[in-house]
Structures are given as C-alpha cells and as structure tokens.
Amino acid sequence: MDIRPRDNASSWQQKAYRVIFESDTRAGQLFDIALLIAIVLSVVAVMLESVTSISARYGSILRAVEWVFTGLFLFEYLMRLLVVRRPLNYALSWLGIIDFLAIVPTLAALVLAGSRYLLVIRTLRLLRVFRIFKLGQFIGEGEFIISALRASRFKILVFLSSVVTLAVVVGTLMYVVEGGQNGFTSIPKSIYWAIVTMTTVGYGDISPVTVLGQTLASVLMILGYAIIAVPTGIVSAQMALPAGGRPSYKRVVCHVCQATDHRDDADFCWHCGEKL
Amino acid sequence: MDIRPRDNASSWQQKAYRVIFESDTRAGQLFDIALLIAIVLSVVAVMLESVTSISARYGSILRAVEWVFTGLFLFEYLMRLLVVRRPLNYALSWLGIIDFLAIVPTLAALVLAGSRYLLVIRTLRLLRVFRIFKLGQFIGEGEFIISALRASRFKILVFLSSVVTLAVVVGTLMYVVEGGQNGFTSIPKSIYWAIVTMTTVGYGDISPVTVLGQTLASVLMILGYAIIAVPTGIVSAQMALPAGGRPSYKRVVCHVCQATDHRDDADFCWHCGEKL
Amino acid sequence: MDIRPRDNASSWQQKAYRVIFESDTRAGQLFDIALLIAIVLSVVAVMLESVTSISARYGSILRAVEWVFTGLFLFEYLMRLLVVRRPLNYALSWLGIIDFLAIVPTLAALVLAGSRYLLVIRTLRLLRVFRIFKLGQFIGEGEFIISALRASRFKILVFLSSVVTLAVVVGTLMYVVEGGQNGFTSIPKSIYWAIVTMTTVGYGDISPVTVLGQTLASVLMILGYAIIAVPTGIVSAQMALPAGGRPSYKRVVCHVCQATDHRDDADFCWHCGEKL
Amino acid sequence: MDIRPRDNASSWQQKAYRVIFESDTRAGQLFDIALLIAIVLSVVAVMLESVTSISARYGSILRAVEWVFTGLFLFEYLMRLLVVRRPLNYALSWLGIIDFLAIVPTLAALVLAGSRYLLVIRTLRLLRVFRIFKLGQFIGEGEFIISALRASRFKILVFLSSVVTLAVVVGTLMYVVEGGQNGFTSIPKSIYWAIVTMTTVGYGDISPVTVLGQTLASVLMILGYAIIAVPTGIVSAQMALPAGGRPSYKRVVCHVCQATDHRDDADFCWHCGEKL
C-alpha cells in the first residue's frame, strides 16, 4: 500500500498527513490516542445499546452519541482521502475498508431498517489499538511476539492441522458410538464437541453418556491436555532464541591474546584487534 | 513396507508409480493435492449426510457423490495394487488397509443395510493430509515436531502414567466421598470425572456437591493446572535444544582416575591427563 | 513509604519496631508467623459464618472469635502507628489502609447493620502471606518469579490487549450470529462468553446453538488453545535466561566500518580491527 | 527406611529378598511386572464391582477374584516381612502401610459390613506402578522429571500460594457481589468457584449472573489463563538446564593446542592432555 503524502501536497496537507498517518510527532501521537479513545467510546456505545434495559432508558442519548462518532469518523475518513498520496490505494487497503465500513451502517440505517446491526463492524476499528504499540516502549515487544509467531508459523500450521484432523476423526467416531439421542446428532456437531473437548473448553452442552463414549472422551482429553505442550514448546523455543537467531561463535582463538567467543563472521579479535 | 515400483514394470507402470506414490515430480504433487481434495470432499459429503435436515433434502445428491468418490477411490486403490512392487505388502500396510476400508462400506451397503455407517472410516484417509507436509516448506517443520516428541516420548509416557494413576486414585476417593446420588454412580464414572477435571475440560455433567468433595476437587484442579507445566516443560526443553541435541559426553571412564563426563571428542582425560 | 523507627524512639519502641516491621530477628519472625496464623484464622471464621448451617449453630462462637481478632488487629494497628517513624505515611500506604479496613467493619456493625459484610476486606490481609516469603528459602524464589514477570510485563500487556480485542470482535460477531434467544442477549454478555471460551474455561451457561455460531466458536477455541503458547513462551524464555539477562551487546558502532553487535567488553571492532 | 536383607538371612531368604525388593535380576523384574499386573487386575475388579449393572450379574465372580487377590497380597505381605532386615521398619513405612491396608478391608468385611468400601485404598497400590520406571529405559526419564520438579519446588510453592490467595480474595468478593440466590451460597463455595474458574476447569455448576460478577469473572479468567505461564515457565527453564545445572566452562585455553571449552574443574586439556 502506497501511503505517502501527495507530491503536490500543499503545506496543510503535509502537516495533516504527518498528524493523521504518522506517529513520530507529538501531534501525531495525540491524534492516535484521541482516535483510539473515540473508537473505544463508539464501540462502548454500540455495546450498551445492545443491552435491552439500557437501550430502553438511554436509547436516544446513545443514538445521538452514535451520530456524533459517525460524523467524526466520516470527517477523519475524508481527511485521510484528501491528504494521502494515492487515495484509491488507501480506500482499498484493509484499514481503509474497515474505516469505510465503520461509517456506512449509521447512514444506511436511514434507508434500510435493521442495517444498523452492521455497526458491529465498527469493533474491527479496535484493531487500530495495535497502532498504539508503535509508540515508545511497546515497539520492540510487539515486534518480538509477532516475529516469534511468524518464525514458527509453519510449525503452528502443522500442529493446527493435526488438531483439526484428530478432531474430525474422533468426532466422527463419537457420532457412531454415542448417536443422536445423547446430543451427538450429526457428524459436524460431534466434531464441534471434539474441538470443545480437545481444547479443554468443555461447555458440557454435549457430553458423552455411554461407557465407550466416556472412555474415548477421556483419551481425547488427555491427548488434548498433553498436546498443548507442542505449540507452547514451539513458541518458547523460538522466543528463547536471541534476536539474531541462535548465536554462532567462531571456534577460533586469537593467537595473540587467546581470547575466544568471536563472532562467526569476525575477522579481527574483539579484544586485541589482531587479525584472526 | 516395500513400496517400490515393480521390477518388470512396463513404462506406464513406472510413470504411474511415480505419480501415485511419490511426490517429487510435478505430476506427483498434483496427484497428491487432487487426492487430498477428493478425500476432503468425500468426508464432507459423509458429514453432511449425517445432518438430518440436509440429508432429507439433498440425500439423493449426496448418495450420488458418495458413489462417484467410491468409484474414484476404488480405481485409485486398484492402480496402487497394479504399480507397486509387492501388492500384498501395500494391501496389508496401515495406509493400504485404510484405503481398502474407505471403499468397502458403500459397496457393502448394497448387501447389508446399516453398514454404510462404516463410511466414517473414510475420515481416516484424512491422515493422508500429512503427506502434503512432505511438500516444500513443511518437510523440516513436521519432522522437527515429530522428532521432538519422539525424543521426549518416554518422559511423556511417565507423565501420562502419573496423570492416569492420580485420576484413578482421586476418582475412587470421590466415589466414596460423593456417592451415587451426586452423579458419581460408579468408580469408572468417577475416574472419568477425575480426568475431565484434571485436564481442565470440566463439562459439568458431573460435579461435586459435598463440601469434602469440592475441597478434594479443588486440590485436583490446582494439581491439574500446575501439572500441565510438566509436558510443556519437557517439549519446550527438547525443542530449545540445538539441532545436534543435548551436548553428548563420552560414556568412557578414565582408566586411571575413573573420571567421567568427557567431551565427545576428547582424547585425553580432563582430570589426570591420561590418554582415554 | 517511609517505614523506619522514630528518631526519638524510646528503647521499647525500637524493640517493638524490629519485632513488628522487620523479620530479621527471631522475635520478628515469630511475630510474622503468629500474625499470619491470626489472619488465616480470622478469615476462616468469616468464611464459616457465611455458611448458613454453621452460622445457625455456632454463630455466637464465631462472632466472639471475630471480636477477639478485631481486638488483636486493633492493638496491632495502634502499635504500628506508635512505633513507626511517620505514622501518617504508614496509615496511608496500601498495607496500612488494608490493616485499617480489616478492623473497621466489626466496629461499624454496632452502628450500621449489614456493614459486617465488609469483613471480606479482611481477606486482603492474606496478602501479608507474601511477607513470609521474605523468610529464608523463599527470598530468591519469589523475587525470581516477580522479576521474570516484571521483565516481560510489556509483552504480557501486548498479549492481553490482543486477547481482549479479539474477545470484543468475536463476541460482537456472535451477538449478531446467535442472537438473544440463544443466550447471547447483549454484546457485553457475548464478550463475556468469548472470554469464557478463549480462556478455555467453558462454563456452558451460554453456548452456541446455530451451525455458524458453533463453527465460529470452534475457531475461537482453537485460537485460544494455541494462543496460550504466547505468554507461556514469553515467561519461559525470560526464566531460561541466565541471571545476568540476555547477552548484552555494545550499542557502539565502529567508526570505520560501521559494524555493530560488538561484545559488551570488546575493545576492538570484530570486523575491521579498529579501536572502538 | 532400612530395607536390606536380614543379616542372618538363610539362602532362600536372600534369594527371595532379591526377587521381591530388588529389580536388578531377571526374576526380580518378572516379580515386579507380575505384581503390577495383579494390582491392576485387582483394582479393575474393585472398579467393576462398583458398577451396579455388572455387580448384579457377575458379583459372585468378582468377589471370588477379590478373595484370590487378597490371598496373594497377604502372602506377598508376609513374605516381605519375612525376608526384610527390619520388618517393623518396612511395616511402618508408607509402602508397608499401603500394602497392609490393601489386604485388611476384604478380611474386615467378614466382621463389619460396609467396610469393604475401604478396598479403594487398594488403588493406592497403583503407586507401585512407578517402581516399573526403575526398569531400563525409564530410569533417567522419571528421575529427570522428579529432579526438575524438586529443583523448582519452592518456586511452585510460591506460585500455588499466590493462586490460592487470589482465589480466596476473589471468591469472597464474588460472594458479596453475586450472593446466595445465584449459587454463591457461602464464601467457601465461592472460593471453590474461583478455583474452578482460575484453573480454567469451568464446570458451570455455579456461574456469575450479574454484570459486575461476570466482569469480575472475566478478569479472573484472563488472569488464570495468563498465570499458567508461570509454572510452565519455571519447569521449562529448569528442564532446559543440562543435567549438572548450567554448564560452566573454564575460560582457559590450552597453551599447547589452543583447545577451549574445558570443564570448570578440568586440570588437563581434553585434547592434548597438557596440564592447564
């Protein structure tokens, strides 16, 4: 996504760009935080309106709040389009689409009843919360977690495939063993049960009744309980690695000062500066 | 299992062998992926048929789909028998038996009503999903996980034995403490409850009612909660090891000073300097 | 908080200070343990009184016990005020406020009926249990855990934010998918459900009924199951570090070849051999 | 416990001692395995008898089996007393008491009806299962886990104290917030709920109903979910350590062959045998 200020940007556009899209200036940081607060408040308003008792008493206030935030977000959206280098690129990017969809429902509700429920899309704007992690202290931490997850993404994928395959096999088996009268009314539902069990969630809305079913369930539980060690091990091992991967030191010893532990690619001794 | 092409294989047999059994050619990879899609689709069809509402409306279509896939799998099975070096070896191998059992139920249903339920065995063919991990990126990752699990298999076995023993002891205790009127109707059922609790699944289909039972359950929960650290620690520690594994020391003992723990590549005793 | 003995402390005040506030003398340790036992007993008394059947039979005894402990704690509180250097500082510190609030309810109950329920604040005094970890063996262990958690606090914060954001987004989605008639009566309640599910608690008081809802729930469960690897990995990696922390590299850049990542104690560039 | 053969042991006593108490001979290993199978079978018999439907049909057979095993265990117990050096020491040791209690109930049932329920103590004999880990492959593995747990026992104790304290504080709070009509009928029951929640078991027999209660529960769940990282981290870090603790190598370099990585306590070079 090409998010840069316009080439022919007037002075106010460049300033606005730095405030809205970047967070390396004081104003930019304040904008980010203010936006975040606005998003959280608008989401809270949507939430509260979904509670029948609150909506009955404060419905009109909440709807007013909704209109205010929709206005603010509309203004912000138009500003973004005005100051960015390629407005279409922004509009079609993930964040751009979410920004747009967060405005539409309130307006659409004027025409089409019921469409206000789409306001839930506004919660996706909460993902902007992670922008704040670009500020200060959190830069390195967020990147650390993401890079560890990225480095182990294939291992985690293999793991998740195994979990899902096992859930399908055991779920199907349980459908045959327990049958519809014990809640295992169909194979998809039995697979749902298997996932509920393996992940140790265990709602109890469906649970095995027959002896064979309970035995099979016990095996699945113990498996699920032990299997959690795999992703945990993967991520732990990944995170325990130093930043640049496991360090490899040269086995060479400086012939002058006898110093060891030189970097793998070192050409000179770190201690006496002699050529290795 | 001796899965190699026949010695007296004609040209088409050798080609077919490479496509069906191996995945190092483009055609072989395409075959693997196509087979995988076919398996997933056939499993989905079996699943959907188990849903009463869907089966009522699309039953005939789903049954047709079932016959098509059974035909395809039968063809694939015969091809495998034709091109492999020792057909009997393949037929009696795990994968061979599963491949066979995935075809039988549809045919058997013609003669014997109800045997179509055996189609669930077809889900076992999903295990072939792991063949795809032999492709590209996933080779190392899958092997990494498996080798870490294999290296810690005895530790995990010891751990699982402890979990099961504890479940038996606590389950029996709970049977005496709570008794049949609170759902703990027999010792096996109480052990089932203990496993549900220790693994933190917690369906709630059976739960302690008496004060003593709830106290005992609390202890078991905290134990189960803390105990998960053991397999996790085992696998994490294993995975954190560098590729070459735990530093290996020579099993040799110095014949002079009886010192042990010599480096793997040591030629002299670190303690007395004697030649090993 | 300035917790030191008074400057113009008389001899008994200094002695009492050492006993009450410090734990490096035999008497001080005994006081800590006695206080701990008194706290635990008083909390147990409050607990037992909340059980209807026990309260009906032993109510008067328990109320007497409550008065005895309140008297003891009042005496202890006044002693603390008398011997500490700046009584106001102590009184306004966290521990001081808790100590005060642990006494008040019993007295307040004389005037105001129902205020005795505030006795639950007394359980907060249990936090003094961690003082005992200052004794002997536990010093290092407690500090080890706390320092590991402190070192990873930003990572854990980032992780928790992700969990909460995900819970909000999925919870809102489920509210739309399942709707009020299946228990998802409002967005906050749906978020509560999402947290119950992601953390693998799974009460089952609310559980998805529709196919789409169960599918979404399955994805959330598997995510929650895999995501636990993140905090575990963070803390494991932190704890696996040697006491001195992650190997520290000099932040200095070679002024000749611009190489970085020099050892902390390096005097010469590993790349060009120039003096750093 | 002084478990050695008698000083004045006759030849058969010494032989029997080696078979019964030790497992370094072929006969001793066979005895251990046979005993284990007998224990498992006797436990299975007790279990099956607790199932009403099985007990109704095969009650007499199961009772016969019980008598046979009681006879065997009695014989084994007497043999142990006969061949061990200090019979009283054995009889008063943990294993000795369990061995004794495993026999008593069947005999006591002749006199006292209902005492047969004490047979559950027999399951404790299952703990002998861990003896088998003394055989072959498992020696190191079991010791590895136990030594890792022992090394982190104080850390785990600190952790468990924190969990219990938190459960008490939150449980008491929930008692006040939710009150008896929502299932939180007493403080101990609320603490039980807090443990069920924190450990992510989540039966759902008691679950919060009020908004404040659900909010508080959500916080507790997320805490419990994140807190599991602590014991996991402790054990992982411990297990990642090499056998003798973190290895410390001498910083010294052999002045003859320039070899490095000498053991901390090495006096001679492992490579050329020169005095360091």
Side-chain angles (χ1 to χ4, degrees), chain A residues 46-241:
Chain A
V46 171
M47 278 185 198
L48 291 180
E49 215 184 335
S50 77
V51 184
T52 326
S53 63
I54 293 176
S55 149
R57 283 179 67 181
Y58 306 101
S60 50
I61 299 172
L62 288 170
R63 230 153 299 137
V65 167
E66 193 188 312
W67 275 103
V68 170
F69 280 119
T70 305
L72 278 175
F73 292 157
L74 182 61
F75 176 70
E76 177 217 347
Y77 184 68
L78 295 177
M79 283 301 288
R80 284 186 189 265
L81 286 178
L82 273 176
V83 301
V84 84
R85 191 197 185 91
R86 294 180 196 275
L88 204 68
N89 273 12
Y90 161 70
L92 295 178
S93 71
W94 273 111
L95 282 176
I97 292 171
I98 291 174
D99 287 354
F100 178 70
L101 289 177
I103 309 163
V104 165
T106 321
L107 303 174
L110 292 178
V111 191
L112 198 72
S115 66
R116 267 187 50 258
Y117 273 110
L118 294 170
L119 267 176
V120 296
I121 297 163
R122 193 166 279 177
T123 58
L124 286 177
R125 287 209 88 191
L126 275 181
L127 295 175
R128 279 200 180 265
V129 116
F130 294 104
R131 260 192 79 80
I132 215 162
F133 294 142
K134 291 207 184 139
L135 307 174
Q137 204 92 38
F138 290 98
I139 300 185
E141 310 297 353
E143 268 167 28
F144 175 80
I145 292 178
I146 288 165
S147 80
L149 288 179
R150 189 176 298 145
S152 25
R153 68 184 178 286
F154 287 115
K155 289 199 200 77
I156 290 175
L157 211 65
V158 170
F159 168 74
L160 288 182
S161 311
S162 317
V163 166
V164 170
T165 307
L166 189 58
V168 169
V169 172
V170 176
T172 311
L173 224 63
M174 285 299 279
Y175 169 69
V176 176
V177 167
E178 289 278 336
Q181 70 279 16
N182 296 334
F184 296 77
T185 49
S186 69
I187 295 183
K189 198 155 208 167
S190 302
I191 292 170
Y192 161 73
W193 168 86
I195 291 173
V196 169
T197 300
M198 271 191 85
T199 56
T200 78
V201 171
Y203 287 133
D205 49 350
I206 314 170
S207 60
V209 176
T210 64
V211 172
L212 188 56
Q214 292 184 339
T215 310
L216 201 61
S218 299
V219 172
L220 186 64
M221 281 174 226
I222 291 179
L223 265 177
Y225 183 59
I227 271 177
I228 187 65
V230 173
T232 303
I234 292 168
V235 176
S236 296
Q238 193 60 44
M239 286 186 173
L241 290 180

Side-chain angles (χ1 to χ4, degrees), chain D residues 184-258:
Chain D
F184 295 77
T185 49
S186 68
I187 295 184
K189 198 155 207 167
S190 301
I191 292 170
Y192 161 72
W193 168 87
I195 291 173
V196 168
T197 300
M198 269 191 84
T199 56
T200 79
V201 170
Y203 287 133
D205 50 350
I206 315 169
S207 59
V209 176
T210 64
V211 172
L212 188 56
Q214 292 184 340
T215 310
L216 200 62
S218 299
V219 172
L220 186 66
M221 283 174 225
I222 291 180
L223 265 177
Y225 183 60
I227 271 177
I228 187 65
V230 173
T232 304
I234 291 167
V235 176
S236 296
Q238 193 60 43
M239 286 187 172
L241 291 180
R246 208 167 279 273
S248 44
Y249 289 109
K250 257 195 175 144
R251 285 232 143 214
V252 88
V253 177
C254 175
H255 63 279
V256 172
C257 70
Q258 314 275 327

Side-chain angles (χ1 to χ4, degrees), chain B residues 6-64:
Chain B
R6 304 192 163 212
D7 281 339
N8 59 345
S10 57
S11 167
W12 76 265
Q13 275 179 321
Q14 281 189 328
K15 268 190 196 151
Y17 176 83
R18 298 211 65 175
V19 169
I20 297 174
F21 278 92
E22 289 179 9
S23 50
D24 53 355
T25 59
R26 181 122 196 86
Q29 289 183 5
L30 282 177
F31 176 82
D32 273 6
I33 291 169
L35 179 59
L36 206 72
I37 293 171
I39 293 173
V40 169
L41 287 179
S42 75
V43 167
V44 167
V46 171
M47 279 185 197
L48 292 180
E49 215 184 333
S50 78
V51 184
T52 326
S53 63
I54 293 176
S55 149
R57 284 177 67 180
Y58 307 101
S60 49
I61 299 173
L62 289 170
R63 231 153 298 136

Side-chain angles (χ1 to χ4, degrees), chain B residues 7-250:
Chain B
D7 281 339
N8 59 345
S10 57
S11 167
W12 76 265
Q13 275 179 321
Q14 281 189 328
K15 268 190 196 151
Y17 176 83
R18 298 211 65 175
V19 169
I20 297 174
F21 278 92
E22 289 179 9
S23 50
D24 53 355
T25 59
R26 181 122 196 86
Q29 289 183 5
L30 282 177
F31 176 82
D32 273 6
I33 291 169
L35 179 59
L36 206 72
I37 293 171
I39 293 173
V40 169
L41 287 179
S42 75
V43 167
V44 167
V46 171
M47 279 185 197
L48 292 180
E49 215 184 333
S50 78
V51 184
T52 326
S53 63
I54 293 176
S55 149
R57 284 177 67 180
Y58 307 101
S60 49
I61 299 173
L62 289 170
R63 231 153 298 136
V65 167
E66 191 188 312
W67 275 102
V68 169
F69 280 118
T70 306
L72 278 174
F73 293 156
L74 182 60
F75 175 71
E76 177 218 347
Y77 183 68
L78 295 177
M79 284 301 288
R80 283 184 190 266
L81 286 178
L82 273 176
V83 301
V84 84
R85 192 197 184 91
R86 293 180 195 275
L88 205 68
N89 274 10
Y90 161 71
L92 295 177
S93 72
W94 274 111
L95 282 176
I97 292 171
I98 291 173
D99 288 354
F100 178 70
L101 289 177
I103 308 163
V104 165
T106 322
L107 304 173
L110 291 178
V111 191
L112 199 72
S115 66
R116 266 187 51 258
Y117 274 111
L118 295 170
L119 267 176
V120 296
I121 297 162
R122 193 167 279 174
T123 59
L124 286 177
R125 287 209 87 190
L126 275 180
L127 296 174
R128 278 197 181 266
V129 117
F130 295 103
R131 259 192 80 80
I132 216 163
F133 294 143
K134 290 204 184 141
L135 307 175
Q137 206 93 38
F138 292 98
I139 300 184
E141 311 297 353
E143 267 167 28
F144 175 81
I145 293 177
I146 288 165
S147 81
L149 287 178
R150 188 176 299 144
S152 24
R153 69 184 177 288
F154 288 115
K155 289 199 200 77
I156 290 176
L157 211 65
V158 170
F159 168 74
L160 288 183
S161 312
S162 317
V163 167
V164 171
T165 308
L166 188 58
V168 169
V169 172
V170 176
T172 311
L173 224 64
M174 284 300 279
Y175 169 70
V176 175
V177 168
E178 289 277 337
Q181 70 280 14
N182 295 335
F184 295 77
T185 49
S186 69
I187 294 183
K189 197 154 207 167
S190 302
I191 292 171
Y192 162 73
W193 168 86
I195 291 173
V196 168
T197 300
M198 270 191 84
T199 57
T200 78
V201 171
Y203 287 132
D205 51 348
I206 315 169
S207 59
V209 176
T210 64
V211 172
L212 187 56
Q214 292 185 340
T215 310
L216 201 60
S218 299
V219 172
L220 186 64
M221 282 174 227
I222 291 179
L223 265 177
Y225 183 60
I227 271 177
I228 186 65
V230 174
T232 303
I234 291 167
V235 176
S236 295
Q238 194 60 44
M239 287 186 172
L241 288 182
R246 211 168 274 275
S248 51
Y249 291 108
K250 254 189 177 152

Side-chain angles (χ1 to χ4, degrees), chain D residues 35-127:
Chain D
L35 179 60
L36 205 72
I37 293 171
I39 292 173
V40 169
L41 286 180
S42 75
V43 168
V44 167
V46 171
M47 278 185 199
L48 291 180
E49 215 184 334
S50 77
V51 184
T52 326
S53 63
I54 293 176
S55 150
R57 285 179 66 181
Y58 306 102
S60 50
I61 300 173
L62 289 170
R63 231 153 298 138
V65 167
E66 191 189 313
W67 275 103
V68 170
F69 281 119
T70 306
L72 277 175
F73 293 156
L74 181 61
F75 176 71
E76 177 217 346
Y77 183 68
L78 295 176
M79 283 301 288
R80 284 184 189 265
L81 286 178
L82 273 175
V83 301
V84 84
R85 191 196 185 92
R86 294 180 195 275
L88 204 68
N89 273 10
Y90 160 71
L92 295 177
S93 71
W94 273 111
L95 282 176
I97 292 171
I98 290 173
D99 288 354
F100 177 71
L101 289 178
I103 309 163
V104 165
T106 321
L107 304 174
L110 291 178
V111 190
L112 198 72
S115 66
R116 266 186 51 257
Y117 274 110
L118 295 170
L119 265 176
V120 297
I121 297 162
R122 192 167 279 175
T123 59
L124 287 177
R125 286 209 88 189
L126 276 180
L127 296 174

Side-chain angles (χ1 to χ4, degrees), chain B residues 187 197 225 267-268 270-271, chain D residues 50 141 203 224 267-268 270-271:
Chain B
I187 294 183
T197 300
Y225 183 60
D267 295 320
F268 295 88
W270 56 266
H271 186 245
Chain D
S50 77
E141 311 297 353
Y203 287 133
D267 294 321
F268 294 90
W270 56 266
H271 185 244

